[in-house]
Amino acid sequence: MTADPVTTRQPTATAGAPATVRASLSPSRAADFKTCPLLYRFRSIDRLPERPTVEQARGTLVHAVLERLFDLPAAGRHPDAAGDLVAPQWDRLVTEQPELAGLFPGDGDPADLAEFLRSAAALLDGYFAVEDPRRLEPAERESLISAVVDDELLIRGYLDRLDVAPDGALRVVDYKTGGAPREAFEARALFQLKFYALVLWRTRGVVPRVLRLLYLRDAEVCDYTPDAEELLRFERTVVALWRAIEQATEQQDFRPRPSRLCDWCSHQALCPSFGGTPPPFPAHAARADPLLDARSRPAQPGADE
């Protein structure tokens, strides 16, 4: 299992959105609500802070290295070159996200940071076991995509990578820094990729030929082929989720849904399922711009990255 990379990306939801749009939803936040409505509330409405974990930081670092790898000339995209990117990318991430520095404080054991960097490099070995980046020229990397569905809902998310074949066929690629998951976690991962596939279909008129999950720890590939009928059903599911979120917000009723994922939740102390009490429902929830709901934030292990 794996944790989502930490990210501080804060896209502007309203940019280019039609005037009819009044809410937005990302795959992470949609998956939160499906998993546990109270978790959605804690993250999107209460906006409770969550400290980054080593696993999340490792995922962030590996994603950063793989993004930068394709900046190199094709012939230079080899394992040693990727390994050389690990330490500089970590330094960059710590500069941009100072909270990451707390994972390996200056007064701590230097061996801990060294082992962390080695573990990230080991995941890159898993990447090279399943792909040869010298033969690839991605069309997009770490790109924000969005589409409007049901006239009022903006759906959006960040693609790890989009490949476009000469015949125009699309392949959506998502890097997972944990091992190949059990069925429950793989369903969450495919939910995210179907979300991206729906956006691409609605904006480009093309159903992606392949949705690909690359599990770096186990060096495994999971390919899935959607079709238009499936994406149409998925669109209805997303809209229904959004309407359920709206109803829960209006009624201030976000109930916990205990599951195996509770073991990784940062908010057990506030959850009734663990004897806690949620904070008062924030007054800003009723008047806040719902377009800010889909801010990129870490999700639970096994969810997005």
Side-chain angles (χ1 to χ4, degrees), residues 57 61 86-94 100 104 113 116-117:
L61 175 56
V86 172
Q89 286 303 306
W90 177 248
D91 291 340
R92 179 184 67 82
L93 289 170
V94 170
L100 294 178
F104 304 102
L113 176 57
F116 169 76
L117 297 178

Side-chain angles (χ1 to χ4, degrees), residues 70 127 131 135-141 159-166 168-173 175 200 204 208-210 212 214:
F70 286 99
Y127 169 72
E131 277 196 337
R135 303 177 62 183
L136 298 169
E137 290 298 339
E140 298 180 27
R141 291 171 281 147
L159 293 173
D160 285 349
R161 200 179 86 211
L162 179 66
D163 300 334
V164 180
L170 305 180
R171 179 173 63 191
V172 180
V173 180
Y175 307 123
L200 292 169
R204 306 188 186 198
R209 181 177 296 171
V210 177
R212 172 165 291 180
L214 296 183

Side-chain angles (χ1 to χ4, degrees), residues 101-115:
L103 294 172
F104 304 102
D107 57 355
D109 187 345
D112 292 341
L113 176 57
E115 176 55 32

